Amino acid sequence: MSSLQCKQLRDIATPLLYRKVLLFIGGHRDIRVSGLLSRSNPGIKHIRKVYLQLEKTILASPESREVSDDSSEEESEADVENITGAARQAQFTVRLLLDFLPNDILENFSWQNWEPFSMDNWILLMKKQKRLKAVEIAAVDRPFMPVLEKDPGLLTNLDGASSLHFYPDNLDRLQACQKVLQAQTNVGEMQLSSGFAMSPEEPPEGLHDSSTRPGLITRTVFSHMMPFDTCKPIVLKKLSIDNIELRYAADTYMKLIKFSALESLVVGGCVGADAVFSQMSKPHLRPGNLKKIRWFHEETTEPHALEAFEGLLEAISGLEILHVDTNNISGLPRASAIAHHGKTLRCLGVRARMSSSTIFNYEAEQFDEICTNCTELRQLSITFPQTSVSDAHPNAEFNTFLRSASKLRHLITVNLQGWPTTRSSFISRSYKLKPRWYDLYEHDLQRLAQQIFEASDINSKEQGWGLGHRSMLAVIAFGANGRTAFDGEGNVKLKQVPFVRGLKVDPFGMTSMLAVKTLWKMVQFIEPDSDILNHSLYDLHDVHNSP
């Protein structure tokens, strides 16, 4: 009977476990992919989403990283060669994956942009998986247009594709984006991320919109919709724009896309983003059902960007996800503008930093206003006051913030941006420390996380909140997103150290809570409501290198 029950449970769990598959390829573990693709694997037919990432070269132990200056350059060149070889091996693994997956089962197939994707693999993907709901145009090893002109059926077969992800960095990919966009009639999500700034080639003139004419990006990708004044705008639910100048968006993007229908907006590294925010604040362009805004900004020449963003926050209502990560803007969004969405806001991340390494944080009264009004928060990422992990307990200012955060009865994940200080000076201004000090510092962080968990549980019991015996708080993370690892100089480079709620058993069988350090990339599997840890300006630029 027990074996029959186990089989029934396996049959129930298999479709859920295999629906989304994340593979780290390009390493010695690639042989395991053959097990996934085995015909005897009952889960292979349930795979719907595949995400590929390049498995990084395994770093040596801390002791072996302490090398002389003479060998550091040779090791760096060897690391580059290892990663290049791993990328080539990954292309072969992708081919194997596409050959053996059943036809027409995938909805999404996404790869980390480690190097130009194989055009042969992309063609095979388009031919074998005609039920894709997401199509990507990114860097490939051959031009797109000769292939699309030779075989137009590659795109016409994807009638169900509703999510388009464009990463153009040359004219060929711009034209390919236009072909894909024109072929799809049911587009609901679009990501347009310009890579011209990162391209080794000189960007063409007139790349972005101007006061006299649309830019090369706009008039190429949306050429079939010109003239824009009379076109029928695209109705999107989700829009993401990265590294595109939006100063004159009122004459182009605001006419091309129906912004009033948006439910999700992501703007990253866009000069002139304040022009879009100002336009969206107007009654006829104001979104009525906007649920998510993520704004990543680094520009120093736009003094009114923050004001325009605050105006948008106060003009709309009903936000559930708000994430702001700015650099070189002297201030944070007003607490009152955030509190305006208090009844619906479930995920909040706010970070602002000046080029002088100054990280802004709210005053205690402002943070308390946010926590008092935003009672539905599940995830919070914000800068807390400095405290020292060398002390037995956090200081008074840090505890004041913790008391305010204790009002959030549904809080599951909290990211304490920045790093607690120590009495010693073994952490440099660039957030690096010697390996011999890392274990000690990690132990001190664990003790602080343990104290926060315990204080949350005590408050939850007093208020009658949470799960009865403990609070809902499950994840505490320090620092910005990314994996803490050894750099090429033998130092540990701090990025993010997450702790999750664990359990310990004493010799008498008594159990108690324990804050357990986990891997950054594993948190999403331990606690689904932790995606606030994966979004940051540091995805594009590592500011920790600044002094």
Side-chain angles (χ1 to χ4, degrees):
M1 181 66 179
S2 59
S3 61
L4 178 60
Q5 290 177 341
C6 291
K7 183 178 184 303
Q8 291 174 337
L9 290 175
R10 187 194 68 179
D11 293 340
I12 294 173
T14 296
L16 299 176
L17 294 175
Y18 276 87
R19 179 173 177 81
K20 177 180 177 180
V21 176
L22 173 62
L23 297 177
F24 292 88
I25 59 177
H28 64 283
R29 297 186 182 91
D30 283 10
I31 190 65
R32 299 181 181 180
V33 177
S34 61
L36 172 70
L37 300 175
S38 172
R39 298 299 180 184
S40 61
N41 181 5
I44 188 173
K45 63 182 179 180
H46 298 290
I47 297 176
R48 296 296 179 266
K49 299 180 180 181
V50 175
Y51 299 94
L52 304 178
Q53 291 190 20
L54 185 67
E55 183 177 348
K56 302 298 182 183
T57 304
I58 300 177
L59 294 173
S61 62
E63 292 79 8
S64 64
R65 301 298 293 182
E66 295 183 1
V67 295
S68 64
D69 296 337
D70 296 336
S71 60
S72 59
E73 184 176 352
E74 296 179 359
E75 289 188 357
S76 177
E77 293 178 356
D79 290 341
V80 171
E81 291 180 0
N82 289 338
I83 294 177
T84 302
R88 292 172 181 171
Q89 179 178 329
Q91 300 287 10
F92 175 77
T93 305
V94 172
R95 180 62 184 237
L96 180 71
L97 185 67
L98 294 175
D99 277 333
F100 285 90
L101 276 176
N103 291 351
D104 302 330
I105 65 168
L106 293 184
E107 297 176 359
N108 196 339
F109 188 91
S110 181
W111 59 90
Q112 179 195 33
N113 192 18
W114 58 78
E115 70 167 9
F117 197 67
S118 169
M119 175 58 80
D120 293 332
N121 286 343
W122 188 85
I123 295 173
L124 186 62
L125 173 66
M126 295 296 109
K127 288 183 176 180
K128 296 196 63 176
Q129 304 296 334
K130 298 177 183 179
R131 294 184 181 179
L132 285 173
K133 293 183 178 180
V135 179
E136 292 191 14
I137 297 295
V140 290
D141 57 6
R142 297 205 312 268
F144 274 101
M145 291 309 296
V147 174
L148 297 180
E149 291 172 354
K150 181 180 179 180
D151 189 359
L154 287 176
L155 301 180
T156 56
N157 292 332
L158 299 173
D159 295 333
S162 59
S163 179
L164 305 181
H165 302 268
F166 298 151
Y167 308 95
D169 61 358
N170 58 38
L171 183 59
D172 173 73
R173 278 170 218 147
L174 283 175
Q175 293 172 343
C177 293
Q178 188 273 330
K179 289 291 185 182
V180 173
L181 179 60
Q182 188 177 14
Q184 308 311 315
T185 59
N186 190 31
V187 180
E189 177 181 352
M190 181 186 297
Q191 179 180 359
L192 182 57
S193 180
S194 172
F196 284 91
M198 283 72 78
S199 175
E201 301 177 1
E202 187 72 19
E205 295 184 5
L207 181 64
H208 301 286
D209 301 335
S210 67
S211 59
T212 57
R213 61 178 300 191
L216 179 63
I217 295 177
T218 311
R219 67 176 185 266
T220 303
V221 177
F222 305 96
S223 61
H224 60 286
M225 301 178 64
M226 296 181 72
F228 300 144
D229 291 331
T230 59
C231 72
K232 182 180 179 180
I234 305 172
V235 180
L236 297 176
K237 290 185 177 180
K238 298 180 179 180
L239 174 64
S240 177
I241 305 178
D242 300 300
N243 301 316
I244 294 177
E245 293 186 13
L246 299 175
R247 176 62 59 201
Y248 301 99
D251 298 324
T252 53
Y253 293 99
M254 305 302 295
K255 296 179 179 179
L256 293 167
I257 300 169
K258 192 174 182 180
F259 276 75
S260 59
L262 288 179
E263 297 180 7
S264 171
L265 176 64
V266 179
V267 179
C270 295
V271 178
D274 57 313
V276 172
F277 299 146
S278 299
Q279 290 290 322
M280 292 179 64
S281 301
K282 296 179 178 180
H284 65 288
L285 293 175
R286 186 180 303 163
N289 198 30
L290 191 61
K291 301 298 182 183
K292 179 174 79 172
I293 296 181
R294 298 192 191 275
W295 179 39
F296 307 127
H297 192 78
E298 287 191 281
E299 190 58 42
T300 60
T301 60
E302 300 180 3
H304 304 295
L306 185 59
E307 296 178 10
F309 184 73
E310 291 171 340
L312 175 61
L313 291 182
E314 294 175 347
I316 61 177
S317 60
L319 276 183
E320 296 179 1
I321 299 175
L322 174 61
H323 197 171
V324 182
D325 196 337
T326 62
N327 192 16
N328 297 324
I329 291 183
S330 57
L332 295 162
R334 287 197 305 270
S336 58
I338 297 176
H340 177 67
H341 303 272
K343 294 182 179 180
T344 58
L345 199 62
R346 298 168 61 90
C347 180
L348 173 64
V350 181
R351 183 182 180 93
R353 176 184 179 275
M354 288 295 288
S355 57
S356 59
S357 300
T358 301
I359 299 178
F360 296 100
N361 62 284
Y362 286 107
E363 298 293 336
E365 296 80 8
Q366 296 172 323
F367 183 65
D368 188 71
E369 179 183 358
I370 294 175
C371 295
T372 302
N373 290 277
C374 303
T375 55
E376 299 298 318
L377 278 178
R378 267 69 171 172
Q379 302 182 56
L380 176 65
S381 177
I382 207 163
T383 303
F384 268 52
Q386 280 287 359
T387 188
S388 175
V389 292
S390 299
D391 298 331
H393 300 282
N395 57 33
E397 190 176 4
F398 191 91
N399 280 327
T400 301
F401 269 60
L402 287 180
R403 283 193 295 271
S404 297
S406 67
K407 299 178 181 180
L408 305 173
R409 59 184 300 175
H410 303 294
L411 189 63
I412 297 174
T413 301
V414 60
N415 180 200
L416 309 181
Q417 300 166 358
W419 299 97
T421 60
T422 63
R423 292 177 182 172
S424 304
S425 58
F426 56 77
I427 301 181
S428 69
R429 295 181 63 189
S430 57
Y431 302 99
K432 296 180 181 180
L433 67 162
K434 294 295 182 183
R436 61 178 177 273
W437 293 112
Y438 177 69
D439 290 340
L440 176 61
Y441 185 64
E442 183 182 290
H443 180 270
D444 289 337
L445 288 179
Q446 187 275 338
R447 179 167 51 84
L448 179 57
Q450 179 88 12
Q451 293 173 349
I452 297 174
F453 275 127
E454 292 173 350
S456 176
D457 290 346
I458 293 174
N459 178 75
S460 181
K461 291 179 181 178
E462 293 176 350
Q463 300 293 336
W465 293 348
L467 303 177
H469 62 289
R470 69 171 180 85
S471 69
M472 299 286 291
L473 187 61
V475 181
I476 298 174
F478 298 91
N481 78 314
R483 182 175 64 93
T484 293
F486 295 97
D487 64 6
E489 301 175 355
N491 298 317
V492 177
K493 186 177 183 180
L494 294 174
K495 280 199 170 182
Q496 189 179 92
V497 179
F499 294 89
V500 297
R501 185 186 291 270
L503 193 69
K504 64 178 179 180
V505 182
D506 64 17
F508 301 101
M510 301 297 293
T511 60
S512 58
M513 188 275 300
L514 178 68
V516 179
K517 178 183 174 294
T518 187
L519 298 176
W520 167 71
K521 64 182 180 182
M522 297 301 296
V523 175
Q524 59 180 317
F525 302 105
I526 299 172
E527 176 51 60
D529 285 328
S530 62
D531 59 298
I532 190 69
L533 305 180
N534 301 326
H535 297 279
S536 172
L537 193 65
Y538 298 97
D539 287 337
L540 303 177
H541 303 281
D542 184 12
V543 298
H544 286 325
N545 287 331
S546 302

